[in-house]
Amino acid sequence: MSERSISPYERFGAARPVGDAILQIHVFTVTDTISSLAQLYFGDWRKWRLIAERNNIADVRQIESGAELIIPRLALTTGRYESS
C-alpha cells in the first residue's frame, strides 16, 4: 500500500476558502514572537490575534521552536477606486 501525500489543508485542519486562498506557512524560531510575525506579514504588530486564532494558540508565550504556523490572508479592505 502506497502512502498518499497530505495537503496542508488536511494537515492543519479544515480549509477556510476565503482566509486560506493563498496558504502561507511560517516555521516559528526562537527569535520569533507572534507580534513580530504580524508585523512581518501584515505590516501591523497589533494583528497578532489573527495568527493566534487561526492556529488555535491559547498562550502565545508557549509556542515551541519549529512549530509550523498558518499565516492567514488579510481580508481585502473596501475603499474607493481612483484612476490616474
Side-chain angles (χ1 to χ4, degrees), residues 31 52 54 67 70:
T31 59
R54 178 58 181 100
I70 295 175

Side-chain angles (χ1 to χ4, degrees), residues 17-77:
V18 174
D20 292 344
I22 299 173
L23 187 65
Q24 215 171 4
I25 298 173
H26 180 91
V27 178
F28 200 80
T29 64
V30 293
T31 59
D32 286 334
T33 63
I34 200 148
S35 58
S36 70
L37 296 181
Q39 181 66 38
L40 176 68
Y41 289 104
F42 307 139
D44 187 353
W45 65 269
R46 294 170 292 195
K47 295 184 179 181
W48 63 268
R49 280 188 175 86
L50 297 172
I51 299 170
E53 288 171 359
R54 178 58 181 100
N55 291 280
N56 299 321
I57 298 171
D59 186 353
V60 296
R61 295 168 293 190
Q62 300 297 322
I63 304 171
E64 293 184 20
S65 182
E68 293 181 338
L69 302 178
I70 295 175
I71 307 299
R73 187 171 170 200
L74 287 180
L76 296 175
T77 56

Side-chain angles (χ1 to χ4, degrees), residues 76-82:
L76 296 175
T77 56
T78 58
R80 194 172 62 183
Y81 176 77
E82 295 180 10

